[in-house]
Amino acid sequence: MRHRKAGVRLSRTSAHRKALFSNLIAALFTNERIRTTDAKARETRRLAERTITWARRVGDVLTKKADRRSTEESARVVHAVRMARRTVRDRTAVLKLFDEIAPRFAGRRGGYTRIVKLGQRPGDAAPMALLELLPEEGTPAAGGGKSVAKTGGPEAEAKPAKKKAAATPKGQAETEDKAEPKKAAAKKPPKASKKEE
């Protein structure tokens, strides 16, 4: 049984493991998505969400200017920054966490990231995954979010459906929209020329 043994070892020493996850979380905060192995992604997600929660808890204080904060509020911010710096040692990543990422998740209580399975790595067949921060509420997802037209919203009713292209021999592809005027023109009687009169 593995009681009180949270986390994975990944066949690394503790110093190597801490540095690895610190770098992965810093890359996640900087780029907002990383591609790594499935085991590393699951452990990075656990640590990253905990770090985001530290920043999100002081989000109400961060909206105030530094000179307007009380002594207690300033102490809360310093404590949160220090707790985040325990996990993420990159200063720019921590600044981005408190300035951009934490306000984005102010109304959310957990679940700030998602893992998308990518298949196997060609070299050693390791299962790969994409770990990314969730987009801001109301903005479409970067890799395939549903739009209003796909879900059948008011825009879907307003736009008429396009007709599919008719299957014709190579080089003669015509859509049904273009083919209909030609048929109508063929049915009209030809005009009499001046020579026939």
Side-chain angles (χ1 to χ4, degrees):
M1 290 181 280
R2 294 188 73 248
H3 295 307
R4 298 171 61 92
K5 295 184 186 301
V8 293
R9 296 195 181 192
L10 297 175
S11 300
R12 288 166 169 83
T13 62
S14 61
H16 186 182
R17 198 168 48 245
K18 285 178 185 175
L20 168 75
F21 289 126
S22 175
N23 291 336
L24 283 174
I25 295 169
L28 176 65
F29 291 161
T30 306
N31 304 318
E32 299 198 6
R33 91 174 27 176
I34 56 172
R35 184 177 181 270
T36 183
T37 62
D38 191 37
K40 289 179 195 170
R42 281 186 274 125
E43 185 65 16
T44 304
R45 176 186 206 176
R46 184 177 74 87
L47 298 169
E49 295 213 357
R50 182 181 297 170
T51 309
I52 293 170
T53 301
W54 275 111
R56 189 189 61 79
R57 285 181 183 161
V58 294
D60 56 332
V61 180
L62 292 175
T63 57
K64 296 180 182 179
K65 292 183 179 177
D67 57 341
R68 298 283 185 186
R69 297 176 191 158
S70 68
T71 308
E72 182 182 329
E73 290 173 338
S74 297
R76 280 180 58 203
V77 172
V78 169
H79 178 60
V81 170
R82 285 178 177 168
M83 293 302 287
R85 287 294 301 270
R86 284 173 69 185
T87 308
V88 186
R89 299 188 184 126
D90 185 9
R91 181 181 292 269
T92 56
V94 172
L95 288 175
K96 183 175 180 180
L97 169 67
F98 279 87
D99 292 342
E100 297 176 25
I101 297 170
R104 181 195 310 179
F105 299 121
R108 191 177 186 96
R109 300 185 63 160
Y112 315 113
T113 59
R114 71 171 152 229
I115 295 176
V116 180
K117 308 271 181 159
L118 295 178
Q120 294 179 330
R121 185 162 52 194
D124 59 355
M128 299 299 287
L130 184 73
L131 176 64
E132 59 185 356
L133 295 174
L134 292 177
E136 197 167 341
E137 294 294 326
T139 59
K146 294 182 179 179
S147 65
V148 178
K150 288 182 183 177
T151 57
E155 293 177 36
E157 296 171 6
K159 293 182 181 178
K162 290 185 178 180
K163 297 180 182 179
K164 293 182 179 178
T168 57
K170 186 178 178 181
Q172 297 177 359
E174 293 180 4
T175 61
E176 293 177 4
D177 294 340
K178 293 180 182 176
E180 288 176 0
K182 288 182 182 178
K183 289 179 185 175
K187 292 180 183 177
K188 289 183 184 177
K191 292 184 180 179
S193 64
K194 293 183 179 179
K195 292 179 182 177
E196 293 177 4
E197 294 178 357

